[in-house]
Amino acid sequence: MKLLKLILSTSTLLLATATPLVGADDSDPALKQAIESRSAADKARDDARHPAQTLAFFRVEPGMTVAEGLPGGGWYTRILANYLGEKGTLYGVNYAERMWPMFSFATEDFIKKQKQATANFDNTVKGFTDNGIKARGFTFSTVPSEISGTVDRVLLIRALHNLNRFEDSAGTASQAMAAVRAMLKDDGLVGVVQHRAPESADDAWADGSNGYLKQSVVVAMFQEAGFELVAESSINANPKDQPGPNDIVWRLPPSLDGSDDDPAKRAAMEAIGESNRMTLLFRKSS
């Protein structure tokens, strides 16, 4: 019965027309400057990732405290560090350390590097800007108590599929959602960009292990954790990406996994472009 109510309420949210929120827009000179000042390699992906429109949709503004989930190689971090400015704060939030060994490819050296990346996040940010922004790294299981209720925005950009993938066996998504809710201010927002699975896809295939999640699953995940969907956007949609039951998201650019020795397949994947992505905005339920 609980699951049925959750599915019905999720469907209602997906059908509802959200009221746009007032905040930053993608013509903000400071945002444009932060984006234009990056390397050519970073800017080469702007047409697929739409950073200005995405951050404007998430209502990110200079001076805010922002937590970036899975900052990874720093593509969004470089924008955020320069845009938030000297009055801003940027947290890099990584997987709980217990999660890394769950990946079949994770060697001891790989796990060590992930832990170091989390611990050194502040120095990484200093390498991107000298504007004096405050920065700190931690994991979803080690959110400092003093951060509770202080964060304006949490950004989860392509960060949910593995959390959902290991939820049944290890509760990874539930733990992360609880951490997100705890760190947010009462009026804080969570911005999500996630590879979108067709709603008709097999649930086992769309559990996150192939990179894709159904939007209904993502909304239900947040609703169960005490959030409500307030807006959705097609900013990062790509209708050319129609994955089949044996497809992984990494077959597409920039990874092009499986196309190394097949020029025709590579060309076909490049013609599709990067993945079809949902872009969603959540806030705490009252």
Side-chain angles (χ1 to χ4, degrees):
M1 182 61 69
K2 179 181 178 182
L3 178 60
L4 177 59
K5 290 181 178 178
L6 184 59
I7 291 172
L8 290 173
S9 56
T10 297
S11 299
T12 301
L13 280 172
L14 289 172
L15 291 171
T17 301
T19 302
L21 302 175
V22 177
D25 63 69
D26 59 13
S27 65
D28 180 351
L31 179 56
K32 293 179 72 173
Q33 174 61 28
I35 290 171
E36 288 303 316
S37 64
R38 296 168 302 144
S39 68
D42 273 6
K43 289 190 283 188
R45 300 190 67 188
D46 286 356
D47 287 345
R49 292 190 169 188
H50 313 102
Q53 298 94 322
T54 299
L55 291 177
F57 179 74
F58 293 157
R59 310 302 167 186
V60 177
E61 299 180 41
M64 281 186 168
T65 296
V66 174
E68 181 188 3
L70 304 187
W75 195 89
Y76 259 105
T77 309
R78 283 185 279 277
I79 299 172
L80 290 166
N82 284 285
Y83 179 50
L84 295 175
E86 63 177 341
K87 295 182 179 180
T89 300
L90 182 59
Y91 298 128
V93 190
N94 224 326
Y95 292 139
E97 290 185 357
R98 68 185 179 90
M99 188 168 161
W100 291 117
M102 299 178 191
F103 295 96
S104 59
F105 59 81
T107 63
E108 288 186 12
D109 185 59
F110 173 83
I111 295 172
K112 180 180 179 181
K113 288 180 179 178
Q114 300 309 312
K115 293 179 180 179
Q116 289 174 339
T118 302
N120 294 330
F121 184 75
D122 57 338
N123 290 322
T124 298
V125 170
K126 289 177 182 177
F128 296 157
T129 181
D130 60 358
N131 65 8
I133 186 174
K134 296 180 288 295
R136 185 174 180 180
F138 46 84
T139 74
F140 286 116
S141 64
T142 60
V143 180
S145 58
E146 65 270 21
I147 289 173
S148 179
T150 68
V151 175
D152 296 292
R153 301 287 182 271
V154 176
L155 307 185
L156 299 172
I157 300 175
R158 301 179 307 282
L160 294 175
H161 45 280
N162 284 318
L163 290 169
N164 189 76
R165 172 186 179 185
F166 298 120
E167 169 65 10
D168 287 346
S169 60
T172 48
S174 299
Q175 180 188 55
M177 291 296 98
V180 168
R181 198 174 198 282
M183 71 176 80
L184 271 178
K185 293 179 178 179
D186 288 341
D187 61 349
L189 301 170
V190 184
V192 171
V193 177
Q194 180 59 49
H195 313 293
R196 186 203 306 269
E199 289 295 323
S200 60
D202 178 73
D203 288 341
W205 174 86
D207 69 348
S209 56
N210 295 294
Y212 292 98
L213 292 174
K214 297 179 183 181
Q215 183 167 326
S216 59
V217 169
V218 172
V219 174
M221 181 192 305
F222 275 87
Q223 185 181 21
E224 191 168 63
F227 293 89
E228 59 182 338
L229 177 67
V230 294
E232 56 184 291
S233 173
S234 59
I235 294 167
N236 296 297
N238 177 10
K240 292 182 181 179
D241 178 25
Q242 296 293 328
N246 297 313
D247 286 333
I248 59 173
V249 75
W250 303 282
R251 77 196 190 284
L252 298 172
S255 300
L256 292 168
D257 189 11
S259 298
D260 292 345
D261 301 319
D262 191 337
K265 183 175 181 180
R266 184 183 185 91
M269 296 302 100
E270 289 177 336
I272 294 173
E274 295 196 25
S275 68
N276 184 27
R277 296 164 187 160
M278 65 187 87
T279 306
L280 310 173
L281 193 62
F282 296 90
R283 66 183 168 209
K284 289 183 180 180
S285 301
S286 57

